[in-house]
Amino acid sequence: MENPYINTKVVHSQIKSSYNIVSTTLGSKYKIARVPYIIIEGSKMQTEIQKNEALRHAKFISYCFNNVNRK
């Protein structure tokens, strides 16, 4: 990895059912990763479970980028 020192945040996608990990540094690549989730028709509880799991994964990825052991 060339530059692991990237500050990121998690935002919900405006058009897709996913969370995006985006850079907060001006001039760098904006979208780092996308964590999709499945919308299950007729089952609000299962959809919420999928959505919460995707959010936890997105937050973990963002945490890893934000907390690199800087030497």
Side-chain angles (χ1 to χ4, degrees):
M1 177 178 272
E2 290 180 21
N3 182 12
Y5 309 119
I6 301 170
N7 292 324
T8 62
K9 65 180 179 178
V10 176
V11 296
H12 194 274
S13 176
Q14 295 179 356
I15 56 175
K16 296 183 179 183
S17 56
S18 65
Y19 289 98
N20 296 327
I21 295 88
V22 296
S23 175
T24 59
T25 306
L26 186 63
S28 64
K29 181 178 178 181
Y30 180 68
K31 189 187 304 182
I32 307 300
R34 181 176 64 208
V35 181
Y37 59 88
I38 299 170
I39 296 176
I40 301 170
E41 299 296 327
S43 181
K44 185 176 180 181
M45 187 173 96
Q46 287 295 324
T47 299
E48 285 300 315
I49 290 170
Q50 293 288 322
K51 191 173 181 178
N52 289 335
E53 183 178 12
L55 179 59
R56 283 194 324 266
H57 290 175
K59 285 182 177 180
F60 176 74
I61 293 168
S62 182
Y63 174 84
C64 290
F65 275 104
N66 292 332
N67 294 296
V68 172
N69 186 9
R70 298 173 193 234
K71 294 182 180 181

